[in-house]
Amino acid sequence: MASAPQSQRDLDHRALYPTHVEPGLPGPKGLLLDFGGVIVQDSPIEGWAPKVAAEIHKILVDADADVVDIDRIEADVDAGETAVKLFRDSQSRLMFPKEPSHEEYVLGYIAADWPYAAREAIRPHTSQIAYWVSDWKSQRTQRPGIADLLAYCKETGIPVAIVSNALCGQVHRDHIRQFGFEDAIAAEIYSDEYGIRKPNPELIWLGAAAIDCQPSECWYVGDHVDRDVLCGQRARVAASVLMPAPGAPKRPFRVLARPQVQVADPACLLDVLRELASN
């Protein structure tokens, strides 16, 4: 029986996405988890762009390169994030998509048309700016049952790695520490740190290697078909697990990859693992 949901929203979400497991599927020897949608539920935060713009403006003032007014900075921060989001969606059509570096993100998507002095002033701060954008535009809360799932894996000797796309993986690492999950997670693989992004199968291969498993021994758990289920299929994992997040936007195009397991949340995945272990 599934663990109790934390709210009516969770109950409704479980009704929308009932648990399904392909018959005869063996349990995983390693578990690879997406971050957003699996470890956490993301909720947008209003007013993040003005905060980022204010910090960038301080950098320009301190560098005597105050040649871009704060309203222009705010507009470009917002436009840059919108443009790179569209770029990320398009990358799911490629076999081996790349992840822009922090410098490419800030100088290419935000400050593309700024004067030379302003671009050079922020160049040393691009990782900090990427951190601000990632940290301030979303509120992240734990998904139901994730702490219990990680505790179960630790108790039963199933190694866990995070394999996730990220504008700034350091933000995710900081949340893992804040949640107290670092002892239960053997490795963290983030796209910005390796320059590749899902559905590039190389990211999953890196995660599997980090926990001394073959991809064919691992389950990969994510919340999107076009990035996660497809990535697991390309990497030839034992099972791709679809765990849709409540309120997730509709994906921009159809993808024919199918998961071997569907669950509504980490608590339901824990029930699946326990059931398989008991058989």
Side-chain angles (χ1 to χ4, degrees), residues 18-262:
T19 296
H20 172 75
V21 183
E22 283 190 356
L25 192 67
K29 293 185 178 180
L31 199 62
L32 308 176
L33 305 177
D34 194 9
F35 183 82
V38 176
I39 302 290
V40 300
Q41 170 70 38
D42 290 341
S43 301
I45 298 175
E46 297 293 332
W48 65 270
K51 286 180 62 178
V52 173
E55 294 298 328
I56 293 175
H57 190 254
K58 288 178 185 177
I59 293 172
L60 297 178
V61 170
D62 291 344
D64 293 325
D66 183 15
V67 292
V68 185
D69 68 71
I70 196 165
D71 290 337
R72 169 65 186 274
I73 296 172
E74 181 183 337
D76 285 341
V77 166
D78 184 68
E81 179 60 16
T82 299
V84 83
K85 181 179 182 298
L86 295 171
F87 164 81
R88 292 173 187 137
D89 284 343
S90 73
Q91 294 301 287
S92 293
R93 291 296 300 168
L94 303 182
M95 174 60 79
F96 297 105
K98 304 297 183 182
E99 183 72 79
S101 68
H102 297 164
E103 186 169 292
E104 289 169 334
Y105 171 74
V106 174
L107 298 183
Y109 284 90
I110 295 175
D113 295 310
W114 293 5
Y116 176 83
R119 286 168 54 83
E120 289 304 301
I122 64 171
R123 187 184 296 275
H125 304 278
T126 53
S127 289
Q128 179 63 73
I129 294 168
Y131 187 100
W132 288 330
V133 172
S134 179
D135 192 36
W136 293 346
K137 72 185 181 70
S138 296
Q139 178 69 37
R140 298 175 174 91
T141 56
Q142 295 180 37
R143 291 211 64 187
I146 186 61
D148 291 339
L149 174 64
L150 293 174
Y152 173 83
C153 290
K154 185 176 181 180
E155 291 166 4
T156 56
I158 300 174
V160 177
I162 295 175
V163 177
S164 181
N165 289 344
L167 169 60
C168 184
Q170 187 59 49
V171 173
H172 297 188
R173 292 179 184 277
D174 290 346
H175 275 81
I176 291 298
R177 285 196 294 271
Q178 292 166 15
F179 294 149
F181 292 163
E182 64 268 33
D183 290 341
I185 295 172
E188 298 177 58
I189 308 295
Y190 296 115
S191 62
D192 67 308
E193 298 172 0
Y194 289 89
I196 55 178
R197 62 179 286 107
K198 297 176 300 181
N200 189 326
E202 294 177 9
L203 215 61
I204 284 181
W205 296 337
L206 287 166
I211 56 174
D212 295 321
C213 287
Q214 294 297 317
S216 59
E217 299 174 319
C218 296
W219 285 16
Y220 182 65
V221 187
D223 60 327
H224 292 309
V225 173
D226 62 326
R227 299 177 186 182
D228 302 310
V229 174
L230 180 59
C231 191
Q233 176 179 294
R234 289 175 172 180
R236 300 185 181 276
V237 296
S240 288
V241 182
L242 180 63
M243 183 186 293
K250 184 178 180 181
R251 305 314 298 154
F253 46 79
R254 186 182 180 198
V255 176
L256 299 180
R258 292 192 175 187
Q260 286 71 50
V261 179
Q262 176 182 279

